[in-house]
Every structure is written in structure tokens, then in C-alpha cells.
Amino acid sequence: MLKVMELRRKLKHLKDEGNAVLARTEAEKRARTPEEEARFAAVNKEMDAVDAQMGEYIRVNRISEDMLRTYEPNRPALDQKGSAGPFRSFGEQLIAVADYTRGKRGDNRLFEVRAPIGMGETIPSDGGFLVQTDLIEPILKRMYDHSQVLSRVRRIPVSAPSNSIMMRTVDETSRANGSRWGGIRAYWEAEADSTTATKPKFGRLEMKLEKLMGVCYATEELLSDAAALEAIISEGFKDEFDFKLVDAIIRGTGAGQPLGLLNGGGLTTIAKETGQAADTVVTENVLKMWRALWAPSRPLAVWLYNQELEDQLEMLSVSIGTGGALSMLFTPPTDVNPFGRIKGRPAIPIEQASGPGDVGDIMLVNLGEYLMIDKGGLQAATSVHVQFLTDETTFRFVYRCNGQPMWKSALTPYERTASTFTVSPYVTLAAR
């Protein structure tokens, strides 16, 4: 028995060492050094070895859970039936976690979903349990598959050793001769008598992972129904995380959250028309927004707008003499096309668009020019202590991600009439 206690002390020491590495890098806001990464991997390997050694010792010596509780009276007993295979549903695992944290008999399957260092798999106060990967990933998948905004952004996963991404980009702000690709220039043979060597100019796009965290409380009554619990938590968090991510893509500040399109340097803003009434959208606005969209972006561009503008979009008109006629720029939704279309591109109403008359109430964007990074998918933990007085269990979900527009500035075309005319994959309308 003393051997088991010795192994558990060794396991705790290893876990503390791993936690120290994580705490140091988190405090200094940096990635782990090669030496730290090597030691971190070695700690995880040693922990697995100690776990295996302890399990084998318990099996060979036939140490029962009752005997273990003599030395650890607060540790709930595990079922003696052994592993029952993976959890069949998300709700089933959440109920098993809640039962464990409340001191009821444990489910061995919880301990097969290994928690990372700093989130003990047998001590709820250390942080809780990881949710079985094949159960939690569908929440994230549904967000990116079904969201009209998230499904269109460029998404890149960050590799395991890193907490950030750095990409080389072409620093191009003008298509004038000598400025394309930041400085590359080609000459016809007749001009080559006095050519000057040229080279491209590169910029750098760098992002560090931020955390989007969601918390919910489940009552004792809800915890008795696995199907209801799974439906409520899965759908609720999918919708909430989708909402917050899209809102950040539109107007995020870039401080502790993604940088939004409306706050990025590449945004092109179209001025309102002279004498234009407040809170309105007119035909000239739409035509000028389309003109300012970077032409290669048109096949992938979408209109994002506040639903309150829909009647105005359907009634866009053009003047003809002293009268006028509908412009037919806006095509209403049909059974085949669930969204309307403007200039042939999908027009999608979103909650996160600004109120009528404010910047961002209507946007024309190529979301493929917006970069999202993430790491590890969703992570989940649970605690029974936070809402003890109300008899509720707390479930916490964390998604490590970040995002920003790939264009740092609008682009000056090769030929133009107005000296201020620029194009961009992100176009919006000025306040009215």
C-alpha cells in the first residue's frame, strides 16, 4: 500500500513540474523553448509510465478501492466492472462527470479521457475532466460548417508546440509601376538599356492565441436526462460561440480578441451621397461599394447587412427623367437560393451588423481574406463547487483562437480617375 502512495506522490511531483513550465510560459506570454518542450514531453512520458506501474501494482496485489479510500477518504470509489468503452453521447459523459464531482461512484471511462497537466483526471478541484474528443468536436464542426460567416473564413490550425503563428505577406499597397508585389518591376526589351534591379517587399502577419470561454450551470433535474443535457449544452454553446466569433470578426478590437473587419487597416469606406437621408441605403451606395470591391474577390464576396434594411434593399430605385423605376439590384430569396442576392452575390442578414445608418450596417466582403487560427478544438471542464448553494453543476468550455484581416491597407489601382479611389476585399458604407 505504501508503494501506491509513493507512486502517487511521484505523479503529483511530475504534475507540479509540468504545471510550473506552463505557468512560466503563460506569465511571460511566450512559447516554450526547445529545452522546456523536451522536458514537458519527458514529464508526460514519465507520468504515463508511473500510471502504468501503479495500475499494474494495484492489479497484482489486488488492492481494492476500499483499501485505497483508507488512505484517501475523499476519493470516490470506481465501479469494479472496468471500462465500458467510450461514452455513447456528450450528455452521458457530462452526467458521469457531474456524478463524480458530487462524490457518487465513479465511471472508469472518465479516466480513459486523459486530462492534460494542470487539469487532474482524478481530482476535480484541479480543473476537471476533458470531454471525450469525438463528442465535443461536433460542436466546433457545426459552427464552422453551418455558420454563414465562419464557414467562409480562412482557418489555419496552430501546431502543438506553438501558441502563435507568423506568416510572411507581400507588402503591396499600390499597383502602379514599381509598386506591384512591393517593388517588382518588369521592362520591355526597348526599355532595358537602363533597367534598375527590383525586389519584392514583404510584411509580417503575426497572431497569438486568445481564449473564448463559455460557462453554463446545469440543475440537478437537468442532469438526470442525458439527451436533454446534450441538446441544450451542445446547441447552446454552438450558437453562443458562433455569435461571439462572428461579432469579433466584424468589430473585434484586436485586444484580447480577434481584430474585426471594421477596425482593420484594409477597410474601404464609401461616403454617403450628398443630401442622403439618415439611416438609408440608396442605389448609388450599392453601386459604389461594388465598384470599390477588389475585382478578384468578386466570385467569393458576400453582402452582410442588418435585417432592418431589407425593405430598403428591395426598393432600390434609379431615376428616369422626372420619375424612376426599381433598380432590381436586390433579388429576393427563393426556394433554391435561401438568401437574396445583390449584383449576383449572396446577401446575408446577420445579427452582428451595425444598426441602420451606422458604419457596418451593410458590408461587402470576401471572408476568404480573413484569417482565423485555432488550437486543439474545444476543451471542457466541470465543477460542482461554484454553484453549491443552488445545487447546480458548472460546465466550462474554452476555445483558443484568434483572427484578423489579411490586408493591412486598401490597394491603389494601376489606373484611376479619382486620386482617392482604392479597392479592398472589405467594403462598407460610411455613417448616415
Side-chain angles (χ1 to χ4, degrees):
M1 199 64 185
L2 292 176
K3 178 67 173 179
V4 174
M5 297 302 106
E6 179 185 345
L7 289 172
R8 287 191 170 174
R9 282 193 294 270
K10 184 175 181 180
L11 195 64
K12 183 179 184 305
H13 174 76
L14 289 167
K15 188 177 295 186
D16 289 343
E17 183 179 354
N19 278 332
V21 174
L22 291 177
R24 184 164 57 251
T25 55
E26 185 69 21
E28 297 173 5
K29 298 185 181 304
R30 61 173 176 81
R32 293 191 287 270
T33 65
E35 293 77 14
E36 289 172 331
E37 189 63 39
R39 183 54 190 155
F40 191 76
V43 165
N44 273 297
K45 187 175 181 179
E46 288 182 59
M47 287 179 65
D48 289 338
V50 172
D51 266 342
Q53 185 180 358
M54 184 164 55
E56 179 66 12
Y57 186 87
I58 290 173
R59 185 188 67 81
V60 171
N61 292 276
R62 299 181 179 181
I63 298 174
S64 68
E65 286 295 317
D66 289 336
M67 296 171 65
L68 289 174
R69 285 200 304 275
T70 302
Y71 288 84
E72 286 186 312
N74 294 324
R75 183 174 183 267
L78 291 177
D79 291 339
Q80 298 302 311
K81 63 182 180 181
S83 175
F87 288 99
R88 292 169 294 179
S89 70
F90 183 34
E92 183 184 26
Q93 184 175 2
L94 293 181
I95 289 176
V97 171
D99 285 345
Y100 186 90
T101 59
R102 291 172 183 273
K104 299 180 182 179
R105 293 180 66 81
D107 189 323
N108 284 355
R109 291 175 294 176
L110 288 173
F111 305 98
E112 296 175 5
V113 184
R114 174 131 187 133
I117 287 179
M119 199 170 175
E121 73 268 26
T122 59
I123 307 175
S125 60
D126 278 356
F129 296 89
L130 285 182
V131 174
Q132 193 172 300
T133 302
D134 60 339
L135 301 181
I136 194 69
E137 278 303 310
I139 297 180
L140 192 64
K141 186 176 187 298
R142 285 197 296 270
M143 286 163 45
Y144 278 95
D145 284 353
H146 299 161
S147 170
Q148 293 300 321
V149 173
L150 293 179
S151 63
R152 288 177 162 88
V153 300
R154 184 178 301 185
R155 181 183 171 204
I156 297 179
V158 176
S159 61
S162 179
N163 289 313
S164 63
I165 188 172
M166 192 277 286
M167 296 175 58
R168 289 291 182 185
T169 60
V170 177
D171 189 3
E172 181 184 60
T173 59
S174 172
R175 296 294 292 171
N177 288 332
S179 297
R180 291 183 290 275
W181 280 71
I184 288 181
R185 186 171 183 181
Y187 299 86
W188 291 106
E189 185 177 3
E191 302 176 86
D193 293 340
S194 58
T195 58
T196 302
T198 62
K199 62 180 180 180
K201 181 180 178 182
F202 295 102
R204 186 171 68 176
L205 186 152
E206 186 172 5
M207 282 189 287
K208 295 181 179 180
L209 292 167
E210 304 291 352
K211 287 183 181 179
L212 177 62
M213 185 172 70
V215 176
C216 77
Y217 306 115
T219 63
E220 181 69 24
E221 291 76 15
L222 183 57
L223 287 170
S224 66
D225 188 337
L229 180 62
E230 177 175 5
I232 291 172
I233 291 184
S234 295
E235 289 302 314
F237 274 100
K238 177 185 74 68
D239 289 345
E240 178 61 13
F241 274 49
D242 179 13
F243 185 96
K244 294 296 290 185
L245 287 170
V246 173
D247 192 53
I249 289 171
I250 300 300
R251 60 173 50 79
T253 63
Q257 60 183 273
L259 177 64
L261 296 169
L262 295 180
N263 293 317
L267 183 70
T268 289
T269 303
I270 303 301
K272 68 177 183 179
E273 296 298 299
T274 302
Q276 183 175 343
D279 302 340
T280 61
V281 176
V282 297
T283 300
E284 290 81 1
N285 298 150
V286 172
L287 293 176
K288 289 180 179 179
M289 290 177 68
W290 181 258
R291 183 183 67 173
L293 180 69
W294 184 50
S297 281
R298 290 179 177 178
L300 297 175
V302 294
W303 300 81
L304 305 175
Y305 67 92
N306 186 307
Q307 189 171 347
E308 198 173 341
L309 297 175
E310 207 152 76
D311 56 343
Q312 296 188 45
L313 295 176
E314 291 202 43
M315 297 177 65
L316 291 172
S317 61
V318 292
S319 299
I320 303 176
T322 58
L326 291 177
S327 66
M328 304 303 291
L329 281 173
F330 182 85
T331 305
T334 65
D335 291 339
V336 178
N337 296 313
F339 298 107
R341 288 181 174 265
I342 301 175
K343 296 288 284 187
R345 298 307 305 155
I348 304 169
I350 62 171
E351 295 180 88
Q352 297 86 349
S354 304
D358 296 333
V359 176
D361 62 345
I362 182 168
M363 296 163 281
L364 176 58
V365 295
N366 175 7
L367 291 167
E369 296 294 330
Y370 188 93
L371 179 64
M372 285 286 299
I373 63 171
D374 63 5
K375 180 178 180 179
L378 280 177
Q379 295 183 359
T382 184
S383 172
V384 72
H385 308 295
V386 181
Q387 297 292 97
F388 175 77
L389 295 179
T390 55
D391 194 25
E392 294 176 320
T393 296
T394 304
F395 295 101
R396 183 191 69 195
F397 295 81
V398 175
Y399 180 43
R400 300 183 66 197
C401 62
N402 205 345
Q404 66 175 256
M406 297 182 67
W407 284 43
K408 300 297 185 183
S409 66
L411 186 67
T412 300
Y414 176 53
E415 294 285 354
R416 58 180 181 165
T417 301
S419 60
T420 58
F421 180 67
T422 58
V423 295
S424 170
Y426 334 111
V427 183
T428 191
L429 196 55
R432 285 133 3 255

Short mmCIF file of all heavy atoms in Angstrom, two decimals, residues 1-53:
data_model
loop_
_atom_site.label_atom_id
_atom_site.label_comp_id
_atom_site.label_asym_id
_atom_site.label_seq_id
_atom_site.Cartn_x
_atom_site.Cartn_y
_atom_site.Cartn_z
N MET A 1 0.82 -1.20 0.00
CA MET A 1 0.00 0.00 0.00
C MET A 1 0.86 1.26 0.00
O MET A 1 0.55 2.25 -0.65
CB MET A 1 -0.90 -0.03 1.23
CG MET A 1 -2.08 0.89 1.11
SD MET A 1 -3.14 0.36 -0.24
CE MET A 1 -4.30 1.67 -0.24
N LEU A 2 1.96 1.18 0.77
CA LEU A 2 2.86 2.33 0.80
C LEU A 2 3.45 2.59 -0.58
O LEU A 2 3.74 3.74 -0.94
CB LEU A 2 3.97 2.08 1.82
CG LEU A 2 3.52 2.05 3.29
CD1 LEU A 2 4.72 1.71 4.19
CD2 LEU A 2 2.94 3.41 3.69
N LYS A 3 3.63 1.52 -1.36
CA LYS A 3 4.16 1.66 -2.72
C LYS A 3 3.22 2.51 -3.56
O LYS A 3 3.66 3.37 -4.34
CB LYS A 3 4.33 0.28 -3.35
CG LYS A 3 4.82 0.29 -4.79
CD LYS A 3 6.24 0.79 -4.91
CE LYS A 3 6.75 0.63 -6.33
NZ LYS A 3 8.13 1.14 -6.50
N VAL A 4 1.90 2.29 -3.43
CA VAL A 4 0.92 3.07 -4.19
C VAL A 4 1.01 4.54 -3.80
O VAL A 4 0.99 5.44 -4.65
CB VAL A 4 -0.50 2.53 -3.95
CG1 VAL A 4 -1.53 3.43 -4.63
CG2 VAL A 4 -0.62 1.10 -4.46
N MET A 5 1.11 4.80 -2.49
CA MET A 5 1.19 6.18 -2.04
C MET A 5 2.47 6.85 -2.57
O MET A 5 2.47 8.03 -2.95
CB MET A 5 1.18 6.23 -0.51
CG MET A 5 -0.11 5.71 0.11
SD MET A 5 -1.58 6.62 -0.45
CE MET A 5 -2.29 5.39 -1.57
N GLU A 6 3.55 6.09 -2.62
CA GLU A 6 4.81 6.62 -3.14
C GLU A 6 4.68 6.99 -4.62
O GLU A 6 5.15 8.04 -5.06
CB GLU A 6 5.92 5.59 -2.94
CG GLU A 6 7.28 6.04 -3.48
CD GLU A 6 8.33 4.95 -3.39
OE1 GLU A 6 8.10 3.95 -2.67
OE2 GLU A 6 9.36 5.09 -4.06
N LEU A 7 4.04 6.10 -5.37
CA LEU A 7 3.85 6.36 -6.80
C LEU A 7 2.95 7.58 -7.01
O LEU A 7 3.15 8.38 -7.93
CB LEU A 7 3.26 5.14 -7.48
CG LEU A 7 4.20 3.94 -7.62
CD1 LEU A 7 3.44 2.71 -8.12
CD2 LEU A 7 5.37 4.26 -8.56
N ARG A 8 1.94 7.72 -6.17
CA ARG A 8 1.05 8.88 -6.31
C ARG A 8 1.76 10.18 -5.97
O ARG A 8 1.52 11.22 -6.57
CB ARG A 8 -0.19 8.69 -5.43
CG ARG A 8 -1.13 7.64 -6.01
CD ARG A 8 -2.47 7.62 -5.32
NE ARG A 8 -3.38 6.77 -6.07
CZ ARG A 8 -4.59 6.45 -5.67
NH1 ARG A 8 -5.03 6.92 -4.51
NH2 ARG A 8 -5.36 5.69 -6.40
N ARG A 9 2.63 10.14 -4.99
CA ARG A 9 3.43 11.33 -4.66
C ARG A 9 4.35 11.69 -5.83
O ARG A 9 4.53 12.87 -6.16
CB ARG A 9 4.23 11.10 -3.38
CG ARG A 9 3.40 11.22 -2.10
CD ARG A 9 4.30 11.29 -0.87
NE ARG A 9 5.04 10.05 -0.66
CZ ARG A 9 4.58 9.03 0.07
NH1 ARG A 9 3.40 9.11 0.64
NH2 ARG A 9 5.31 7.95 0.22
N LYS A 10 4.91 10.66 -6.46
CA LYS A 10 5.77 10.90 -7.62
C LYS A 10 4.97 11.50 -8.77
O LYS A 10 5.42 12.43 -9.45
CB LYS A 10 6.43 9.59 -8.06
CG LYS A 10 7.42 9.77 -9.20
CD LYS A 10 8.14 8.46 -9.52
CE LYS A 10 9.16 8.67 -10.65
NZ LYS A 10 9.87 7.40 -10.96
N LEU A 11 3.75 10.98 -8.96
CA LEU A 11 2.88 11.50 -10.01
C LEU A 11 2.55 12.98 -9.75
O LEU A 11 2.56 13.80 -10.67
CB LEU A 11 1.60 10.67 -10.07
CG LEU A 11 0.73 10.82 -11.31
CD1 LEU A 11 1.47 10.35 -12.55
CD2 LEU A 11 -0.57 10.03 -11.15
N LYS A 12 2.28 13.32 -8.50
CA LYS A 12 1.97 14.71 -8.16
C LYS A 12 3.19 15.60 -8.40
O LYS A 12 3.07 16.74 -8.88
CB LYS A 12 1.52 14.82 -6.71
CG LYS A 12 1.11 16.24 -6.30
CD LYS A 12 0.64 16.30 -4.87
CE LYS A 12 0.14 17.70 -4.53
NZ LYS A 12 1.13 18.75 -4.79
N HIS A 13 4.37 15.10 -8.05
CA HIS A 13 5.59 15.88 -8.26
C HIS A 13 5.79 16.17 -9.75
O HIS A 13 6.14 17.29 -10.13
CB HIS A 13 6.79 15.12 -7.70
CG HIS A 13 8.11 15.77 -8.00
ND1 HIS A 13 8.55 16.90 -7.34
CD2 HIS A 13 9.09 15.47 -8.93
CE1 HIS A 13 9.73 17.25 -7.82
NE2 HIS A 13 10.07 16.41 -8.79
N LEU A 14 5.58 15.16 -10.58
CA LEU A 14 5.72 15.35 -12.03
C LEU A 14 4.70 16.35 -12.56
O LEU A 14 5.00 17.21 -13.39
CB LEU A 14 5.57 14.01 -12.75
CG LEU A 14 6.72 13.01 -12.57
CD1 LEU A 14 6.30 11.63 -13.07
CD2 LEU A 14 7.98 13.49 -13.29
N LYS A 15 3.48 16.23 -12.05
CA LYS A 15 2.43 17.14 -12.49
C LYS A 15 2.77 18.57 -12.08
O LYS A 15 2.58 19.51 -12.86
CB LYS A 15 1.09 16.72 -11.89
CG LYS A 15 -0.10 17.49 -12.43
CD LYS A 15 -1.40 16.97 -11.83
CE LYS A 15 -1.66 15.55 -12.27
NZ LYS A 15 -3.00 15.08 -11.81
N ASP A 16 3.28 18.76 -10.88
CA ASP A 16 3.67 20.09 -10.42
C ASP A 16 4.79 20.67 -11.30
O ASP A 16 4.81 21.86 -11.60
CB ASP A 16 4.14 20.04 -8.96
CG ASP A 16 2.99 19.80 -8.00
OD1 ASP A 16 1.84 20.00 -8.41
OD2 ASP A 16 3.26 19.41 -6.85
N GLU A 17 5.71 19.80 -11.69
CA GLU A 17 6.81 20.26 -12.55
C GLU A 17 6.28 20.72 -13.91
O GLU A 17 6.68 21.76 -14.44
CB GLU A 17 7.83 19.14 -12.73
CG GLU A 17 9.05 19.58 -13.55
CD GLU A 17 10.08 18.48 -13.72
OE1 GLU A 17 9.92 17.41 -13.10
OE2 GLU A 17 11.05 18.68 -14.48
N GLY A 18 5.37 19.94 -14.46
CA GLY A 18 4.77 20.33 -15.74
C GLY A 18 3.98 21.60 -15.62
O GLY A 18 4.03 22.48 -16.50
N ASN A 19 3.23 21.75 -14.53
CA ASN A 19 2.47 22.97 -14.30
C ASN A 19 3.37 24.19 -14.20
O ASN A 19 3.02 25.29 -14.64
CB ASN A 19 1.64 22.84 -13.01
CG ASN A 19 0.36 22.09 -13.25
OD1 ASN A 19 -0.17 22.09 -14.35
ND2 ASN A 19 -0.14 21.43 -12.22
N ALA A 20 4.53 24.01 -13.60
CA ALA A 20 5.47 25.13 -13.44
C ALA A 20 5.94 25.64 -14.81
O ALA A 20 6.08 26.84 -15.03
CB ALA A 20 6.67 24.70 -12.60
N VAL A 21 6.19 24.70 -15.73
CA VAL A 21 6.58 25.09 -17.09
C VAL A 21 5.47 25.89 -17.74
O VAL A 21 5.69 26.95 -18.34
CB VAL A 21 6.93 23.85 -17.93
CG1 VAL A 21 7.19 24.25 -19.39
CG2 VAL A 21 8.15 23.14 -17.36
N LEU A 22 4.23 25.38 -17.64
CA LEU A 22 3.09 26.07 -18.24
C LEU A 22 2.89 27.45 -17.62
O LEU A 22 2.62 28.43 -18.33
CB LEU A 22 1.83 25.24 -18.06
CG LEU A 22 1.75 23.95 -18.88
CD1 LEU A 22 0.47 23.20 -18.53
CD2 LEU A 22 1.80 24.23 -20.36
N ALA A 23 2.99 27.52 -16.30
CA ALA A 23 2.78 28.80 -15.62
C ALA A 23 3.84 29.82 -16.03
O ALA A 23 3.55 31.02 -16.22
CB ALA A 23 2.80 28.59 -14.11
N ARG A 24 5.08 29.38 -16.17
CA ARG A 24 6.16 30.29 -16.54
C ARG A 24 5.96 30.85 -17.95
O ARG A 24 6.09 32.06 -18.17
CB ARG A 24 7.50 29.56 -16.43
CG ARG A 24 8.71 30.46 -16.71
CD ARG A 24 10.00 29.81 -16.23
NE ARG A 24 10.24 28.51 -16.82
CZ ARG A 24 10.15 27.35 -16.18
NH1 ARG A 24 9.80 27.33 -14.90
NH2 ARG A 24 10.39 26.20 -16.80
N THR A 25 5.63 29.98 -18.90
CA THR A 25 5.45 30.46 -20.27
C THR A 25 4.20 31.32 -20.39
O THR A 25 4.18 32.29 -21.16
CB THR A 25 5.35 29.27 -21.24
OG1 THR A 25 4.30 28.39 -20.80
CG2 THR A 25 6.66 28.51 -21.29
N GLU A 26 3.15 30.99 -19.62
CA GLU A 26 1.94 31.80 -19.65
C GLU A 26 2.19 33.19 -19.08
O GLU A 26 1.74 34.20 -19.63
CB GLU A 26 0.82 31.10 -18.87
CG GLU A 26 -0.52 31.79 -18.94
CD GLU A 26 -1.15 31.71 -20.30
OE1 GLU A 26 -0.76 30.82 -21.08
OE2 GLU A 26 -2.03 32.55 -20.59
N ALA A 27 2.92 33.24 -17.96
CA ALA A 27 3.21 34.53 -17.32
C ALA A 27 4.07 35.41 -18.23
O ALA A 27 3.91 36.63 -18.26
CB ALA A 27 3.90 34.30 -15.98
N GLU A 28 5.00 34.79 -18.94
CA GLU A 28 5.89 35.55 -19.82
C GLU A 28 5.34 35.69 -21.23
O GLU A 28 5.97 36.28 -22.10
CB GLU A 28 7.26 34.84 -19.87
CG GLU A 28 7.95 34.81 -18.52
CD GLU A 28 9.23 33.97 -18.53
OE1 GLU A 28 9.62 33.50 -19.62
OE2 GLU A 28 9.84 33.79 -17.46
N LYS A 29 4.12 35.12 -21.45
CA LYS A 29 3.42 35.24 -22.75
C LYS A 29 4.33 34.86 -23.92
O LYS A 29 4.54 35.63 -24.85
CB LYS A 29 2.86 36.65 -22.93
CG LYS A 29 1.83 37.05 -21.89
CD LYS A 29 1.21 38.40 -22.19
CE LYS A 29 0.22 38.80 -21.12
NZ LYS A 29 -0.84 37.79 -20.90
N ARG A 30 4.84 33.66 -23.86
CA ARG A 30 5.74 33.18 -24.91
C ARG A 30 5.55 31.68 -25.11
O ARG A 30 4.92 30.99 -24.31
CB ARG A 30 7.19 33.46 -24.54
CG ARG A 30 7.63 32.76 -23.25
CD ARG A 30 9.11 32.91 -22.98
NE ARG A 30 9.51 32.32 -21.72
CZ ARG A 30 9.75 31.04 -21.52
NH1 ARG A 30 9.62 30.18 -22.53
NH2 ARG A 30 10.11 30.58 -20.33
N ALA A 31 6.07 31.21 -26.22
CA ALA A 31 6.05 29.77 -26.48
C ALA A 31 7.17 29.08 -25.67
O ALA A 31 8.12 29.73 -25.23
CB ALA A 31 6.23 29.49 -27.96
N ARG A 32 7.03 27.79 -25.50
CA ARG A 32 8.06 27.07 -24.77
C ARG A 32 9.34 26.98 -25.57
O ARG A 32 9.32 26.86 -26.80
CB ARG A 32 7.56 25.66 -24.42
CG ARG A 32 6.40 25.65 -23.44
CD ARG A 32 6.13 24.25 -22.92
NE ARG A 32 5.51 23.40 -23.91
CZ ARG A 32 4.20 23.28 -24.07
NH1 ARG A 32 3.38 23.99 -23.32
NH2 ARG A 32 3.70 22.47 -24.99
N THR A 33 10.49 27.06 -24.88
CA THR A 33 11.78 26.90 -25.53
C THR A 33 11.96 25.42 -25.89
O THR A 33 11.26 24.55 -25.37
CB THR A 33 12.92 27.33 -24.60
OG1 THR A 33 12.95 26.44 -23.46
CG2 THR A 33 12.72 28.77 -24.11
N PRO A 34 12.91 25.12 -26.78
CA PRO A 34 13.15 23.70 -27.11
C PRO A 34 13.46 22.85 -25.88
O PRO A 34 13.04 21.70 -25.77
CB PRO A 34 14.33 23.76 -28.08
CG PRO A 34 14.22 25.11 -28.72
CD PRO A 34 13.71 26.01 -27.65
N GLU A 35 14.22 23.44 -24.94
CA GLU A 35 14.56 22.70 -23.72
C GLU A 35 13.30 22.44 -22.89
O GLU A 35 13.10 21.34 -22.36
CB GLU A 35 15.60 23.48 -22.89
CG GLU A 35 16.97 23.60 -23.54
CD GLU A 35 17.00 24.66 -24.64
OE1 GLU A 35 16.04 25.46 -24.72
OE2 GLU A 35 17.98 24.67 -25.42
N GLU A 36 12.45 23.48 -22.76
CA GLU A 36 11.22 23.31 -21.99
C GLU A 36 10.28 22.32 -22.67
O GLU A 36 9.61 21.53 -22.00
CB GLU A 36 10.52 24.67 -21.83
CG GLU A 36 11.24 25.61 -20.88
CD GLU A 36 10.64 27.00 -20.89
OE1 GLU A 36 10.09 27.40 -21.94
OE2 GLU A 36 10.75 27.71 -19.87
N GLU A 37 10.24 22.39 -23.99
CA GLU A 37 9.38 21.47 -24.73
C GLU A 37 9.82 20.03 -24.53
O GLU A 37 8.99 19.12 -24.34
CB GLU A 37 9.40 21.82 -26.22
CG GLU A 37 8.39 21.08 -27.07
CD GLU A 37 6.96 21.38 -26.66
OE1 GLU A 37 6.67 22.54 -26.33
OE2 GLU A 37 6.15 20.45 -26.65
N ALA A 38 11.16 19.81 -24.55
CA ALA A 38 11.69 18.47 -24.36
C ALA A 38 11.37 17.95 -22.95
O ALA A 38 10.98 16.79 -22.78
CB ALA A 38 13.19 18.47 -24.60
N ARG A 39 11.53 18.83 -21.95
CA ARG A 39 11.25 18.42 -20.58
C ARG A 39 9.76 18.16 -20.38
O ARG A 39 9.35 17.22 -19.68
CB ARG A 39 11.75 19.47 -19.59
CG ARG A 39 11.56 19.08 -18.12
CD ARG A 39 12.18 17.74 -17.84
NE ARG A 39 11.83 17.21 -16.52
CZ ARG A 39 11.83 15.92 -16.21
NH1 ARG A 39 12.18 15.02 -17.11
NH2 ARG A 39 11.50 15.53 -15.00
N PHE A 40 8.93 19.01 -21.01
CA PHE A 40 7.49 18.86 -20.91
C PHE A 40 7.06 17.51 -21.47
O PHE A 40 6.24 16.79 -20.88
CB PHE A 40 6.81 20.00 -21.67
CG PHE A 40 5.33 20.10 -21.42
CD1 PHE A 40 4.85 20.64 -20.24
CD2 PHE A 40 4.41 19.67 -22.36
CE1 PHE A 40 3.49 20.75 -20.00
CE2 PHE A 40 3.05 19.76 -22.14
CZ PHE A 40 2.59 20.31 -20.96
N ALA A 41 7.63 17.13 -22.61
CA ALA A 41 7.32 15.83 -23.22
C ALA A 41 7.81 14.69 -22.33
O ALA A 41 7.13 13.66 -22.17
CB ALA A 41 7.95 15.74 -24.61
N ALA A 42 9.00 14.89 -21.73
CA ALA A 42 9.55 13.84 -20.86
C ALA A 42 8.67 13.66 -19.62
O ALA A 42 8.46 12.53 -19.16
CB ALA A 42 10.97 14.22 -20.45
N VAL A 43 8.14 14.77 -19.08
CA VAL A 43 7.27 14.69 -17.91
C VAL A 43 6.01 13.89 -18.24
O VAL A 43 5.58 13.02 -17.47
CB VAL A 43 6.91 16.10 -17.41
CG1 VAL A 43 5.73 16.06 -16.45
CG2 VAL A 43 8.11 16.74 -16.72
N ASN A 44 5.42 14.20 -19.39
CA ASN A 44 4.22 13.46 -19.80
C ASN A 44 4.51 11.97 -19.95
O ASN A 44 3.71 11.11 -19.57
CB ASN A 44 3.68 14.02 -21.12
CG ASN A 44 2.72 15.18 -20.90
OD1 ASN A 44 1.68 15.02 -20.30
ND2 ASN A 44 3.12 16.33 -21.38
N LYS A 45 5.68 11.64 -20.52
CA LYS A 45 6.06 10.24 -20.71
C LYS A 45 6.26 9.55 -19.35
O LYS A 45 5.83 8.40 -19.16
CB LYS A 45 7.34 10.17 -21.54
CG LYS A 45 7.73 8.76 -21.94
CD LYS A 45 8.92 8.76 -22.87
CE LYS A 45 9.31 7.36 -23.29
NZ LYS A 45 10.48 7.36 -24.22
N GLU A 46 6.92 10.26 -18.42
CA GLU A 46 7.14 9.69 -17.09
C GLU A 46 5.81 9.48 -16.37
O GLU A 46 5.62 8.47 -15.67
CB GLU A 46 8.04 10.61 -16.27
CG GLU A 46 9.50 10.61 -16.71
CD GLU A 46 10.35 11.49 -15.81
OE1 GLU A 46 10.39 11.23 -14.60
OE2 GLU A 46 10.95 12.46 -16.32
N MET A 47 4.88 10.43 -16.56
CA MET A 47 3.57 10.28 -15.91
C MET A 47 2.85 9.04 -16.42
O MET A 47 2.23 8.30 -15.64
CB MET A 47 2.72 11.53 -16.16
CG MET A 47 3.16 12.74 -15.36
SD MET A 47 2.14 14.18 -15.71
CE MET A 47 0.57 13.64 -15.08
N ASP A 48 2.92 8.81 -17.72
CA ASP A 48 2.29 7.61 -18.28
C ASP A 48 2.91 6.35 -17.70
O ASP A 48 2.21 5.37 -17.40
CB ASP A 48 2.44 7.61 -19.81
CG ASP A 48 1.57 8.66 -20.48
OD1 ASP A 48 0.58 9.08 -19.86
OD2 ASP A 48 1.90 9.06 -21.61
N ALA A 49 4.26 6.38 -17.55
CA ALA A 49 4.95 5.21 -17.01
C ALA A 49 4.56 4.96 -15.56
O ALA A 49 4.34 3.81 -15.14
CB ALA A 49 6.47 5.41 -17.13
N VAL A 50 4.47 6.03 -14.77
CA VAL A 50 4.09 5.90 -13.37
C VAL A 50 2.65 5.39 -13.26
O VAL A 50 2.33 4.53 -12.43
CB VAL A 50 4.26 7.23 -12.62
CG1 VAL A 50 3.67 7.14 -11.21
CG2 VAL A 50 5.73 7.62 -12.55
N ASP A 51 1.77 5.95 -14.11
CA ASP A 51 0.37 5.49 -14.13
C ASP A 51 0.31 3.98 -14.39
O ASP A 51 -0.42 3.24 -13.72
CB ASP A 51 -0.40 6.22 -15.24
CG ASP A 51 -1.11 7.45 -14.69
OD1 ASP A 51 -1.29 7.54 -13.47
OD2 ASP A 51 -1.48 8.32 -15.50
N ALA A 52 1.06 3.54 -15.41
CA ALA A 52 1.05 2.11 -15.76
C ALA A 52 1.61 1.26 -14.63
O ALA A 52 1.07 0.19 -14.30
CB ALA A 52 1.86 1.90 -17.04
N GLN A 53 2.70 1.73 -14.02
CA GLN A 53 3.32 0.99 -12.93
C GLN A 53 2.36 0.87 -11.74
O GLN A 53 2.24 -0.20 -11.13
CB GLN A 53 4.61 1.68 -12.50
CG GLN A 53 5.41 0.94 -11.45
CD GLN A 53 6.68 1.68 -11.06
OE1 GLN A 53 6.99 2.73 -11.61
NE2 GLN A 53 7.40 1.14 -10.10
#
